[in-house]
Amino acid sequence: MVGHSFMGAVHSHAWRSAHRFFDLPMVPHLAVLGGRDLGRTKAAAAKFGWASVQTDWRELVNSPDVQVVDICTPGDSHCEIALAALAAGKHVLCEKPLANNVAEAEQMAAAAKEAAGRGVRSMVAFNYRRVPAIAYARKLIEDGRIGTVRHVRAVYLQDWLSDEQAPMTWRLRKDKAGSGALGDLGAHIVDATQFLVGDLLTGVTAVTNTFVNQRPAEDGGVDDVTVDDAALFLGRFANGAVASYEATRFALGRKNGMRVEINGSRGSLAFDFESMNELSFFDGADGDASGFRRILVTEPTHPYVGAWWPPGHLLGYEHTFTHEVVDFVRAIADGVDPAPSFADGLQVQRVLEAVEHSATEGSKWTDVPGGQA
Amino acid sequence: MVGHSFMGAVHSHAWRSAHRFFDLPMVPHLAVLGGRDLGRTKAAAAKFGWASVQTDWRELVNSPDVQVVDICTPGDSHCEIALAALAAGKHVLCEKPLANNVAEAEQMAAAAKEAAGRGVRSMVAFNYRRVPAIAYARKLIEDGRIGTVRHVRAVYLQDWLSDEQAPMTWRLRKDKAGSGALGDLGAHIVDATQFLVGDLLTGVTAVTNTFVNQRPAEDGGVDDVTVDDAALFLGRFANGAVASYEATRFALGRKNGMRVEINGSRGSLAFDFESMNELSFFDGADGDASGFRRILVTEPTHPYVGAWWPPGHLLGYEHTFTHEVVDFVRAIADGVDPAPSFADGLQVQRVLEAVEHSATEGSKWTDVPGGQA
Amino acid sequence: MVGHSFMGAVHSHAWRSAHRFFDLPMVPHLAVLGGRDLGRTKAAAAKFGWASVQTDWRELVNSPDVQVVDICTPGDSHCEIALAALAAGKHVLCEKPLANNVAEAEQMAAAAKEAAGRGVRSMVAFNYRRVPAIAYARKLIEDGRIGTVRHVRAVYLQDWLSDEQAPMTWRLRKDKAGSGALGDLGAHIVDATQFLVGDLLTGVTAVTNTFVNQRPAEDGGVDDVTVDDAALFLGRFANGAVASYEATRFALGRKNGMRVEINGSRGSLAFDFESMNELSFFDGADGDASGFRRILVTEPTHPYVGAWWPPGHLLGYEHTFTHEVVDFVRAIADGVDPAPSFADGLQVQRVLEAVEHSATEGSKWTDVPGGQA
Amino acid sequence: MVGHSFMGAVHSHAWRSAHRFFDLPMVPHLAVLGGRDLGRTKAAAAKFGWASVQTDWRELVNSPDVQVVDICTPGDSHCEIALAALAAGKHVLCEKPLANNVAEAEQMAAAAKEAAGRGVRSMVAFNYRRVPAIAYARKLIEDGRIGTVRHVRAVYLQDWLSDEQAPMTWRLRKDKAGSGALGDLGAHIVDATQFLVGDLLTGVTAVTNTFVNQRPAEDGGVDDVTVDDAALFLGRFANGAVASYEATRFALGRKNGMRVEINGSRGSLAFDFESMNELSFFDGADGDASGFRRILVTEPTHPYVGAWWPPGHLLGYEHTFTHEVVDFVRAIADGVDPAPSFADGLQVQRVLEAVEHSATEGSKWTDVPGGQA
């Protein structure tokens, strides 16, 4: 694994825990943790349970001890590391967004496709697909329980930048992060909704905004914020559904409000990550007694849940990563390509780019390449 | 009052009931009910408590028994009736949207301005301003409790057209209704959010959609739907806030989901008409113990509530009209102009027109005239 | 109508409004308002729309202008007025609780039974049966949708006495009110749950408490509180269900939290008066996709709702009284006995007395006479 | 650790994970797993990560490799194992309820007290005290944020026995489990509420019920259910608060509905384990803008949360056990007695016994020994 901050901690826990709850064909071994600073990487390795450390990620991806490379670094290094790892024949799990721009994502998707021919697997870590409630929602849609999808509305609301004095971070630098709320939060809701609907966005119109242009720097001065604080966009799906999206870090009081609502011709679904064990489902067939059902997605028959606790005993954020590891390891063992693929990651990147393009071009309608297919 | 269907019923109740709960300077007398069909109008007058009927609205607006004209007809007749009534020196309460297009709304606003000079009052019936929770939200914003507004997100979700076999109605004909979900539902959320924020939209980008293009006609054939089924738009407020709007009649399971969420620099507010006695308020000053407060807006100190029942005893939809009558009658008695004025109604109409323009021009950014002022 | 404070206001509105929305066989005429103080009664009559006033309730109940007597006075006068009215051949609607003790209630039930033989009708005003959501819940239970009832839990939580300095009122005097939270709030949940379950309580064990024993009197001194501030009791239904009840005026933050939850062998129901337009229904037959459905009880097919507004347009507290008037007037016209009858009111009174008895006898189990039948 | 079913799985995860997130003075080593069946115990040890197995718990508790004994067996063996472990100088963590009856619990509390004198620590695993929301609620109460507690209402609602054909288990046998819903679920809410209030129950009145007296046995026949399916009781706290409790496995649709609501003189709190990351708090000082605050207890300043994820990223059921391990290990290292102690467990057992006594004695009021102190 390369990278050991927030994502590193949660990925490590997943790698450590997956086989404790799920029957895996192979037991993951936490071999090498990569990081630039030797001291901090060693401390992280001890804390997270990695056997060794490596400050040169090129050594890491070429190490004979390593069969899988998990990329948890900022977006600007994803492409380089992933290409090297795939070339070295290592399976790759890469954090989202896949890359900081479409050009990089295209290279990665091409490399992944080539590698797959050699039996080398790759997956982009859109972990929200592995929230049981979202996986179950997908199943309900696949089963036709809501009919034809007509409306999608998704927001991802956080508030950690609401304070104008919140300090500068790499997440607010375009060169490091690619974009702001758009790539960090918007990418999640674009992927999740396309996954849920089982269809792609064909075009968008967008507005982005930066509310606070300068923030306190580490050195006591100020740094320029070079990304969006909020991104709002409307879109159309290939099947005719219309969609609304909003990603922001300025929605005071919303801590992790990733909410999706989908209306179909026969039913509707609603989800809020702040209540991630619940799915709201309206079944148009319920007649007089119809109403949104608050389904506690904690039954053994629900996706992933059987491996955990009895009904009503909640799962948390980290479980989505454990599920990701489970599915990834099983795909490797089964010799099949896991989803979401790097191609899926590329398509999300194309949506993000279309959003940015529309926002800078007077909100004009912007097609998403490939979405029309 | 001209018109006696849904709006006629609820307006009549308001005119009958206002002085039973509020101290009014004048007791309304339900003098003349206007309608095209004599028999049906007589029946409605008996049911609703009107003293007489009139099938010619010109006679009604010129009747010496009439001091106030309440216009509850479809949008295509608002302009004509309002102009005549104002010319005849009658105070006018006009249902929303003010008119079916900007040209008509401009005439009406001009006439209202002229009439005001003669002491003749006019008001457009955006009754949602008189929901106690919304009036109270406005007060909290005015008092600075949420600081500078950064985000507005508003939806108005209904589902009565979700069934493809739902029959044709005048509301689906552009010549009668002006637009579809946009004018019927979108007008409400545009007015309510501008009222709440205390600021105007300066421009928009929009997408509209008609999901079902033909519907069963009364004669057994089919009729063309000539309005939008759904309208989605993004906007910017003069103060720098960004906003998202959606109006639809295809959100299955949402019966009257007029929801507004506003995030400011110090707090946030959320409202859902399906729980219209509640206001959610996040106060950034609450520290560790912060969370959205579910305020039951039923305290005697809350707007309008003192006239009704003890705390926790809910009010309903119709009360918003009673409050409207109260404020209108008091404004007439006090010799002041009530709000929202016809000029306010015109401004909303300009937003709606900008939305339609953007939607037909590839979603391109469209300024709202006057919003920049 | 005798009495013109809180209940008088809401009953008057119901009598004025019922025929405006429902087809009634007879149009109520608000003939005479009774009250002890002539000036205040005249003011109330003018405000509420009554044609005349009367300070002697005996004159009122014997007036030839009066066919129906509506008793809205404190509980200590219910018996006397009702007996006189029934003797005079007037139909009687009596506020709850029916009386301040079982002895009075027995007299009233006997008189009502005798009067029914003469075609004179009587009803006790447990208006919560006429909340559409509760009436609909009863229908679901009758239809077998939740199977055999096993659990009932009901609370009625208010907080207006939470402040120790809240002033003395007649509601805190045993001679006037009979009991405190028990008779005022507990009576509602006893009636509502027995109505919903379609079965009677056979016995109870109880705890009551008075948190604040003295309160500021009008004269500047202090008065003794002689009733319970809170009453908690457990019970058993004849069908084997177990039940829990709590009534209090000290639940800070709960304004009108009359909540009922019923669990059956096939489904469950939950209701909260603070969201009175909603009913939660769990259908055990929903399989994997089961969850409490939030039914917005505002559809035209739901009880009483067809007379009012479109789906999602909420009703309020006062509508329950309008529905009461509708059912009462129709029963009179149809020559049938309305429910809940005085006998039903007596049975509730017996439950309340058993609660008081248990509470004073070390919580020992106390049978409710008649419940075993 | 002795025992390796549901509790064994979750405890193992806690022992494995605690030091990965929290700074612990000692890193737990999973030395020996005890179980009666060698094959199944070996399988569990492999799955859960234990170094060795032992089928004789006496060997286990005396093993020099073992410093801490974690008892996860059914209640009938707690006493014997705990006494032996304490005698052998091992720190003991014991699952709840502490024992199957007061006599055993008294022995255990005495042994724990004696052992504490030798520096040997013991704790009963009421893990719900370590739900961040509950720990935070305790803090708010300690800080005086809700004033004097007047009302406690707690329910623990599950539904896994609602189906009459659900099979027999050891949990339904009095000799194994001690009691049914009472000891399994009731014990949790008794401990949690006493912990929250910071005070003890002085007496109770109770009703218990067994809805289904026979269930399918493993051998194809039927077995007698010898415990309660539901237990309801009312109680009084030493400080004058009144309380209501209900524990049931027949509340269809409620999966893990452990709910607590506490009303004080200055504020109120409400919690539901089905939304375990949330705490509702009503602050009486909020004035006009008061309402229950939905606090997402996921801020770094909230108890235990700083070790985990960013705000709004939820924790789950298992985290409560991790927190338990953290506190237990720290107490051992610090040489202090952890809470809840065996004496606390004994006191809960006395409440349970008082409930059973009252239920069998016509619900008569039954004092809880020690509660008056």
Side-chain angles (χ1 to χ4, degrees), chain C residues 76-353:
Chain C
D76 63 333
S77 55
H78 287 187
C79 182
E80 194 175 28
I81 300 173
L83 294 185
L86 291 170
K90 314 296 171 150
H91 310 292
V92 175
L93 177 63
C94 182
E95 255 309 315
K96 46 61 58 181
L98 185 61
N100 275 3
N101 55 58
V102 166
E104 287 175 351
E106 282 174 340
Q107 286 184 66
M108 294 168 78
K113 188 175 177 187
E114 182 274 334
R118 290 179 278 126
V120 177
R121 310 296 161 193
S122 49
M123 185 163 93
V124 58
F126 282 118
N127 58 306
Y128 290 7
R129 293 190 181 198
R130 267 84 187 190
V131 174
I134 289 184
Y136 184 58
R138 171 61 192 147
K139 184 176 177 308
L140 290 173
I141 292 175
E142 271 184 323
D143 291 351
R145 295 294 292 274
I146 68 165
T148 304
V149 172
R150 286 164 174 164
H151 279 290
V152 172
R153 64 191 68 83
V155 296
Y156 202 143
L157 309 178
Q158 294 188 343
D159 72 356
W160 56 281
L161 289 182
S162 189
D163 178 357
E164 305 199 359
Q165 296 306 310
M168 192 65 190
T169 110
W170 67 265
R171 290 180 182 273
L172 305 185
R173 291 176 53 183
K174 190 168 179 53
D175 57 345
K176 271 290 179 193
S179 65
L182 178 61
D184 183 21
L185 307 179
H188 270 304
I189 50 180
V190 167
D191 180 69
T193 53
Q194 294 190 139
F195 167 67
L196 284 165
V197 178
D199 196 13
L200 298 181
L201 285 162
T202 62
V204 295
T205 172
V207 168
T208 59
N209 208 60
T210 304
F211 295 103
V212 176
N213 290 294
Q214 290 190 316
R215 295 208 170 255
E218 279 191 34
D219 64 7
V222 293
D223 266 356
D224 288 341
V225 173
T226 50
V227 299
D228 59 281
D229 284 335
L232 295 79
F233 47 106
L234 308 175
R236 291 183 187 272
F237 276 84
N239 84 338
V242 289
S244 168
Y245 295 85
E246 179 176 352
T248 179
R249 292 155 167 172
F250 276 74
L252 191 54
R254 303 302 181 190
K255 302 303 173 181
N256 205 29
M258 184 270 200
R259 302 186 211 147
V260 178
E261 182 164 340
I262 300 179
N263 307 121
S265 57
R266 295 181 50 199
S268 290
L269 292 165
F271 171 82
D272 183 344
F273 206 89
E274 290 189 0
S275 302
M276 63 173 277
N277 292 268
E278 301 173 23
L279 180 68
S280 287
F281 169 45
F282 183 90
D283 187 336
D286 282 341
D288 272 6
S290 66
F292 276 83
R293 304 176 187 175
R294 174 189 174 254
I295 303 173
L296 215 47
V297 187
T298 58
E299 297 295 313
T301 53
H302 291 147
Y304 303 109
V305 177
W308 300 100
W309 317 118
H313 294 65
L314 304 191
L315 301 186
Y317 170 68
E318 69 213 51
H319 296 77
T320 61
F321 293 90
T322 307
H323 302 160
E324 194 167 77
V325 160
V326 168
D327 290 340
F328 188 46
V329 169
R330 286 179 176 166
I332 292 170
D334 294 348
V336 298
D337 283 320
S341 67
F342 278 18
D344 294 327
L346 164 61
Q347 194 275 340
V348 170
Q349 201 63 43
R350 284 182 171 144
V351 174
L352 303 185
E353 190 169 82

Side-chain angles (χ1 to χ4, degrees), chain D residues 224-372:
Chain D
D224 288 341
V225 173
T226 50
V227 299
D228 59 281
D229 285 334
L232 295 81
F233 48 105
L234 308 176
R236 289 182 188 273
F237 277 83
N239 84 339
V242 289
S244 168
Y245 295 86
E246 179 176 354
T248 180
R249 293 154 165 172
F250 276 74
L252 192 53
R254 301 303 180 188
K255 303 303 174 181
N256 205 31
M258 184 268 199
R259 300 186 213 147
V260 178
E261 182 164 341
I262 300 179
N263 307 119
S265 57
R266 293 181 51 199
S268 290
L269 291 164
F271 172 81
D272 183 344
F273 206 90
E274 290 189 359
S275 303
M276 63 173 276
N277 292 269
E278 301 173 23
L279 180 69
S280 286
F281 169 45
F282 182 90
D283 188 335
D286 283 341
D288 272 5
S290 65
F292 276 84
R293 303 177 188 176
R294 173 189 175 255
I295 303 173
L296 215 48
V297 187
T298 58
E299 297 294 313
T301 53
H302 292 147
Y304 304 107
V305 177
W308 300 100
W309 317 120
H313 293 67
L314 303 192
L315 301 186
Y317 171 68
E318 70 214 49
H319 297 76
T320 60
F321 293 90
T322 307
H323 302 159
E324 195 166 76
V325 161
V326 168
D327 290 340
F328 188 46
V329 169
R330 287 179 175 165
I332 292 170
D334 293 348
V336 300
D337 284 320
S341 67
F342 278 17
D344 294 328
L346 164 61
Q347 194 273 340
V348 170
Q349 202 63 45
R350 284 182 172 142
V351 174
L352 302 186
E353 191 169 82
V355 168
E356 288 190 308
H357 182 263
S358 174
T360 55
E361 296 286 330
S363 301
K364 84 170 182 187
W365 188 261
T366 304
D367 287 338
V368 178
Q372 293 73 8

Side-chain angles (χ1 to χ4, degrees), chain B residues 3 6 10 54 64 70 101 109 133 136 139 209 272 283 286 290 306 328 333 356 367:
Chain B
F6 172 28
V10 71
Q54 177 54 262
D70 182 353
N101 55 58
Y136 184 59
K139 183 177 179 306
N209 208 60
D272 183 344
D283 187 334
D286 282 340
S290 66
F328 189 47
E356 289 190 306
D367 287 338

Side-chain angles (χ1 to χ4, degrees), chain A residues 15 85 89 287 350:
Chain A
W15 287 111
R350 283 183 172 141

Side-chain angles (χ1 to χ4, degrees), chain A residues 102-120:
Chain A
V102 165
E104 288 175 351
E106 282 174 341
Q107 286 184 67
M108 293 170 78
K113 188 177 177 186
E114 183 274 333
R118 291 181 278 126
V120 177

